[in-house]
Amino acid sequence: MSTLFVSDLDGTLLGADRMVSSESVRLLNESISEGALFSVATARTPATVGPLLKDVDCRLPLIVMTGAAIWDRTGNRYAHASFHRESTVRRLVSLYRRHGLSAFVYALGQDNVIHIYHIGEMSPLERAFMEERLATPYKRFHIGGDGISELPEDLDRILLFYSMRPTDEVRRVYEDIKDSDDLRAVFYHDMYGEEIALMEVFGPEASKANAVRILARMVGADRIVAYGDNINDLPILKAADDAVAVENGVDEVKEIADRIIGSNSSDSVAKDIKSQVFKN
């Protein structure tokens, strides 16, 4: 059987310093050279995935933006993307403005670049988020000094609405849209603690699970081994033939995992992949 190994990045493949360690790079490259089909599935965009994996010999396309797109690093192009419907985009923009919730809006241009817009007043946290990402060839921000921008005329290539605001503000909108059939909303807390909630709103077909199935078909794999640590990894773990949680993962992930390996700070994913590749 041909196996596709897919790992989340933050908290899973990346160590505590949010980098791929030199040891993980070595182990992964040895496995890939032996024929391992390796990819990642992450909430990150190519702007940060590219530099993080620069030393890993990734030969397969990479699942980015929580499954909204599959990015082929070798050709710097998008092999697959799941867009919002135009009617949904208009409904979301109206809803966000009515609730006073700001959001970054990600669109995929015909030039294979992510174009980013912003609705609502920009907070200092959002501005810092944007400024950290300005110097990249993979993204282009269309946001004025006041933090507000016009959306593109073409609304049928919108991939994502991304909010990072106080939890109560985000939760109000999440409760309004969470059961909608024409979108998929993900509400969670991450690096900013419990006071700031993150919400990603995707098209209805966008998920890590769908993307990993598509990638498996693209590369001819008939078995999937997935690694994760957090709530947004549950879809790929449930879709995998072998669901693997890292020891530092949240309880919900460990409960549904087929196996639990060591922590993200001990090169556990790379070690596990190598043990399977060289065992066979």
Side-chain angles (χ1 to χ4, degrees):
M1 298 180 70
S2 180
T3 299
L4 172 63
F5 297 95
V6 182
S7 178
D8 171 54
L9 286 180
D10 293 273
T12 305
L13 181 64
L14 304 187
D17 59 356
R18 299 194 175 189
M19 301 293 289
V20 184
S21 73
S22 58
E23 179 65 4
S24 281
V25 169
R26 182 184 70 80
L27 293 170
L28 288 172
N29 286 345
E30 287 181 2
S31 297
I32 293 168
S33 70
E34 288 295 314
L37 300 175
F38 172 74
S39 184
V40 302
T42 176
R44 291 174 177 265
T45 69
T48 54
V49 174
L52 281 170
L53 298 180
K54 63 182 177 62
D55 295 323
V56 180
D57 185 22
C58 294
R59 302 175 186 181
L60 304 186
L62 309 172
I63 297 168
V64 295
M65 300 174 69
T66 318
I70 299 176
W71 177 57
D72 183 353
R73 186 177 74 171
T74 59
N76 190 24
R77 65 180 185 86
Y78 287 83
H80 175 80
S82 295
F83 299 111
H84 276 289
R85 301 167 189 162
E86 182 176 343
S87 58
T88 303
V89 172
R90 295 188 185 280
R91 180 169 69 88
L92 285 171
V93 171
S94 176
L95 181 68
Y96 276 57
R97 287 175 174 163
R98 186 165 73 248
H99 281 278
L101 181 66
S102 62
F104 291 101
V105 181
Y106 290 62
L108 177 58
Q110 299 289 353
D111 55 359
N112 272 296
V113 172
I114 298 293
H115 294 262
I116 303 178
Y117 306 84
H118 190 265
I119 55 176
E121 184 178 347
M122 183 172 284
S123 71
L125 179 60
E126 289 172 312
R127 185 165 296 281
F129 174 88
M130 178 182 71
E131 290 175 351
E132 288 175 2
R133 291 158 175 80
L134 289 175
T136 170
Y138 303 113
K139 290 180 182 177
R140 190 166 301 150
F141 287 86
H142 302 267
I143 301 172
D146 59 1
I148 299 174
S149 66
E150 295 293 327
L151 294 180
E153 292 184 8
D154 184 1
L155 296 179
D156 62 0
R157 294 181 65 83
I158 303 297
L159 292 164
L160 166 67
F161 285 70
Y162 179 64
S163 295
M164 46 194 313
R165 297 289 294 185
T167 295
D168 289 345
E169 294 180 21
V170 179
R171 192 187 304 277
R172 283 195 293 271
V173 175
Y174 176 71
E175 293 296 329
D176 271 1
I177 65 176
K178 66 179 182 180
D179 297 322
S180 300
D181 294 331
D182 60 343
L183 57 82
R184 191 175 67 82
V186 182
F187 174 96
Y188 61 103
H189 295 93
D190 200 356
M191 67 189 80
Y192 304 111
E194 294 297 314
E195 293 183 0
I196 299 295
L198 307 182
M199 184 168 69
E200 299 167 320
V201 184
F202 302 97
E205 303 303 320
S207 73
K208 282 186 176 182
N210 284 341
V212 76
R213 292 188 191 103
I214 292 168
L215 181 59
R217 290 196 297 269
M218 289 171 58
V219 302
D222 45 23
R223 178 173 176 266
I224 298 168
V225 179
Y227 301 86
D229 75 304
N230 213 334
I231 298 297
N232 64 349
D233 299 319
L234 290 174
I236 58 166
L237 295 177
K238 291 176 180 178
D241 298 285
D242 185 13
V244 187
V246 286
E247 191 276 332
N248 54 286
V250 299
D251 290 341
E252 292 91 332
V253 168
K254 292 180 182 178
E255 286 169 3
I256 65 102
D258 296 308
R259 296 187 289 122
I260 299 174
I261 58 175
S263 73
N264 66 314
S265 59
S266 55
D267 304 300
S268 300
V269 170
K271 289 176 181 175
D272 190 74
I273 293 172
K274 182 173 180 181
S275 71
Q276 295 190 61
V277 171
F278 283 81
K279 177 177 64 179
N280 297 326

